[in-house]
Amino acid sequence: MFSKFAIVITLLLLMFFAYRGYSVLILAPIMATLAVLLSGDFLNTIPAYTDVFMGALSGFLLKFFSIFLLGALFERLMADSGAATAIANTVVEKLGASKAILAVILVCAILTYGGVSLFVVAFAIYPIAKDLFRAADIPKRLIPAAIALGSFTFTMTALPGTPAIQNAIPIPYYNTNVFAAPILGIIGGTIMFICGWLWLQSRAKKANAAGGKLWSA
């Protein structure tokens, strides 16, 4: 029982330090060793690291390293070539500032469903979203929510065929493919999109109804 608690603690520490900017390549073996120590199995610390952790790591890299590598190259190409920004500007021009929330969601969805990393999308879209929300007089605090809805939800986990690693990694374990459960995925993705969009719209209307200047000069 305590070993499960140790795993949870080390996973939380891993996420915390990763978001603080520390390299996962350094954190992963440290946290794996810490999990063994916290579980009280001091004598098996070295075997757990060399046999269990390194064995699992090598198997994971063998299966998925090529996906990570090609994804990283594609993301860099989209970012450095300006293609991500060009796609965003095209969608924004078609919808206009009056539909700022919908425009941001769709831009993020198109880019992430096309294989661009959500981190690249977030940094590329934020300046555009900021100008859109200012023009539409929508609170700036809703920008992260709009980006998250378009990037982190239905295109990452629900829509069939998404190239996100969250969709690719389970394939060898469940003997499926990226288009598994397409009807269920489309239904789930549609629910996420519509409910999230309506919620953001309601928050924007509530902020406008409350009055006051939503953007500082």
Side-chain angles (χ1 to χ4, degrees), residues 78-79 82-86 88-89 107-108 111 116-130 147:
M78 291 291 290
T85 304
N89 288 331
V107 167
C108 293
L111 291 175
V116 182
S117 168
L118 56 91
F119 299 106
V120 174
V121 171
F123 286 108
I125 298 306
Y126 181 81
I128 300 173
K130 185 178 178 181
I147 293 176

Side-chain angles (χ1 to χ4, degrees), residues 12 15 17 33-34 42 69 75 126 144 154 182 185 214:
L12 292 175
M15 290 186 288
F17 286 112
T33 305
L34 180 61
F42 302 102
L69 178 61
E75 293 153 14
Y126 181 81
F154 55 95
L214 301 179

Side-chain angles (χ1 to χ4, degrees), residues 121-142:
V121 171
F123 286 108
I125 298 306
Y126 181 81
I128 300 173
K130 185 178 178 181
D131 293 338
L132 275 177
F133 276 49
R134 183 191 294 273
D137 200 28
I138 299 173
K140 183 168 63 175
R141 64 179 180 271
L142 295 180

Side-chain angles (χ1 to χ4, degrees), residues 60-73 165:
F60 183 84
L61 291 176
L62 181 64
K63 291 180 179 178
F64 304 113
F65 179 75
S66 59
I67 296 177
F68 294 142
L69 178 61
L70 293 175
L73 292 175
I165 57 174

Side-chain angles (χ1 to χ4, degrees):
M1 179 64 184
F2 192 74
S3 60
K4 295 180 180 179
F5 180 74
I7 293 174
V8 173
I9 292 296
T10 51
L11 281 176
L12 292 175
L13 289 174
L14 176 65
M15 290 186 288
F16 173 77
F17 286 112
Y19 276 107
R20 297 285 293 181
Y22 294 93
S23 174
V24 177
L25 295 176
I26 299 175
L27 289 173
I30 294 175
M31 291 304 158
T33 305
L34 180 61
V36 176
L37 293 175
L38 290 178
S39 64
D41 197 4
F42 302 102
L43 297 178
N44 291 323
T45 301
I46 300 301
Y49 176 76
T50 56
D51 296 337
V52 179
F53 176 78
M54 294 305 297
L57 176 62
S58 61
F60 183 84
L61 291 176
L62 181 64
K63 291 180 179 178
F64 304 113
F65 179 75
S66 59
I67 296 177
F68 294 142
L69 178 61
L70 293 175
L73 292 175
F74 179 68
E75 293 153 14
R76 176 59 63 180
L77 175 64
M78 291 291 290
D80 291 349
S81 66
T85 304
I87 293 173
N89 288 331
T90 300
V91 175
V92 169
E93 290 175 2
K94 297 295 183 180
L95 294 179
S98 61
K99 295 182 176 62
I101 293 177
L102 179 61
V104 172
I105 295 172
L106 290 180
V107 167
C108 293
I110 292 171
L111 291 175
T112 51
Y113 192 70
V116 182
S117 168
L118 56 91
F119 299 106
V120 174
V121 171
F123 286 108
I125 298 306
Y126 181 81
I128 300 173
K130 185 178 178 181
D131 293 338
L132 275 177
F133 276 49
R134 183 191 294 273
D137 200 28
I138 299 173
K140 183 168 63 175
R141 64 179 180 271
L142 295 180
I143 295 178
I147 293 176
L149 176 59
S151 304
F152 307 168
T153 57
F154 55 95
T155 58
M156 177 187 286
T157 59
L159 294 184
T162 175
I165 57 174
Q166 290 80 7
N167 191 35
I169 288 177
I171 289 175
Y173 301 101
Y174 293 103
N175 194 27
T176 58
N177 55 59
V178 292
F179 290 94
I183 297 177
L184 184 62
I186 292 174
I187 293 174
T190 302
I191 292 174
M192 293 181 197
F193 168 70
I194 294 177
C195 292
W197 176 37
L198 292 178
W199 181 82
L200 287 172
Q201 287 289 125
S202 67
R203 300 305 299 175
K205 290 180 180 179
K206 184 176 181 180
N208 287 324
K213 192 172 181 61
L214 301 179
W215 286 80
S216 58

